[in-house]
Amino acid sequence: MHRLDPRVKFLAIVPYVLVIAIMPGQKNPLAALLVSTLLTILARLDTKKLLSRLVAVNVFIFLLWIFIPFSYPGVTVFQIGPLTATREGILYALSITLKTNAIVLATIAILGTSEIFSLAHALIHLKVPDKLVHLFFFFYRYITVLHEEYSRLKNAMLIRCFKAGTNMHTYRTYAYLVGMLIVRSYERSQRIYQAMLCRGFSGRFPVSSHFRLGKGDVVFGLSMAVVTVMLAII
């Protein structure tokens, strides 16, 4: 999985994700989840990192389980005070959970096993507009830099004995934090841009190596196409 052509990966993952996103019911999303789990096994991913990412995603899914079963019309299953949970609402939340985990697992297994520069290079080969590719590359590359800057500012606040609360001082402090983060991010972006100009950047990244389509890439692409079609018609 790690050595596959990123162009084939994009061509395989996009229709696969779209098919999963529009699946009705629970059986098809469950089948897709099994396929995605198989992909993660084939990719030989670090189990701890994979589980931590799934936990982060399912925290948001848990919020859906709080609201959807009680707001979806249908047959009553149980009641909590004035709130009524319906069978249709529970099944709908279950369908969203299965589809979300299937998409996340497949994306991690297929795209997460390539370097960010290879993915950006593949997008250029697939005729994606240069500006979109640059936006994707810089967002992924420097989101960690922004997070480090945020951590430094937050640690500086804690050293000065700052304690968050529901008062005007807290709101004003967080407003300063966001403002400083924007200013420092802008200054950092200017330094990066100047460094890129010094290295001869003229709107396009020079590419010294190119992809070569192998038998494994063709087999993987065809296999994913067959699986995607089967998931779409079952």
Side-chain angles (χ1 to χ4, degrees):
M1 194 72 73
H2 294 260
R3 289 179 292 182
L4 290 174
D5 190 326
R7 297 172 299 175
V8 177
K9 290 185 173 184
F10 274 114
L11 294 176
I13 190 68
V14 172
Y16 180 73
V17 168
L18 290 177
V19 166
I20 294 176
I22 61 175
M23 279 179 173
Q26 295 78 42
K27 292 182 180 178
N28 291 3
L30 179 60
L33 180 61
L34 294 176
V35 173
S36 298
T37 304
L38 178 61
L39 288 173
T40 59
I41 295 172
L42 294 175
R44 298 179 181 177
L45 301 173
D46 186 306
T47 307
K48 284 187 177 179
K49 288 185 178 178
L50 181 62
L51 290 177
S52 66
R53 291 174 179 175
L54 284 180
V55 168
V57 171
N58 282 281
V59 167
F60 293 98
I61 298 298
F62 175 73
L63 297 177
L64 296 180
W65 278 91
I66 296 176
F67 296 105
I68 291 180
F70 299 100
S71 60
Y72 211 84
V75 179
T76 301
V77 177
F78 63 89
Q79 287 185 321
I80 301 176
L83 301 176
T84 302
T86 63
R87 177 177 175 275
E88 287 75 8
I90 293 173
L91 292 178
Y92 187 55
L94 177 61
S95 176
I96 293 175
T97 304
L98 293 173
K99 289 194 286 187
T100 303
N101 282 279
I103 290 173
V104 170
L105 284 175
T107 304
I108 294 174
I110 295 176
L111 298 184
T113 49
S114 289
E115 294 181 355
I116 183 62
F117 192 78
S118 297
L119 295 177
H121 185 189
L123 288 174
I124 292 174
H125 276 280
L126 295 173
K127 305 302 180 185
V128 175
D130 288 350
K131 289 185 178 179
L132 288 180
V133 176
H134 294 162
L135 187 64
F136 162 74
F137 176 73
F138 285 121
F139 174 79
Y140 186 93
R141 174 68 181 81
Y142 290 104
I143 192 68
T144 54
V145 176
L146 294 179
H147 184 263
E148 290 172 1
E149 197 69 43
Y150 166 76
S151 298
R152 275 198 291 271
L153 290 171
K154 191 175 181 180
N155 288 335
M157 290 163 52
L158 295 176
I159 290 173
R160 291 169 173 78
C161 301
F162 169 75
K163 290 184 179 179
T166 53
N167 51 54
M168 188 57 68
H169 174 68
T170 300
Y171 303 145
R172 190 182 294 116
T173 304
Y174 275 113
Y176 289 148
L177 172 66
V178 174
M180 283 303 299
L181 192 61
I182 293 173
V183 171
R184 292 194 179 190
S185 301
Y186 176 76
E187 292 175 348
R188 185 68 175 264
S189 69
Q190 290 299 308
R191 289 198 296 271
I192 292 171
Y193 182 64
Q194 294 298 328
M196 290 166 60
L197 291 179
C198 290
R199 289 169 172 78
F201 178 74
S202 59
R204 295 181 66 87
F205 287 106
V207 179
S208 57
S209 61
H210 295 279
F211 301 118
R212 290 183 179 179
L213 199 65
K215 291 181 180 178
D217 302 315
V218 176
V219 171
F220 174 76
L222 291 176
S223 301
M224 285 300 297
V226 171
V227 170
T228 303
V229 171
M230 289 179 64
L231 289 174
I233 62 177
I234 61 174

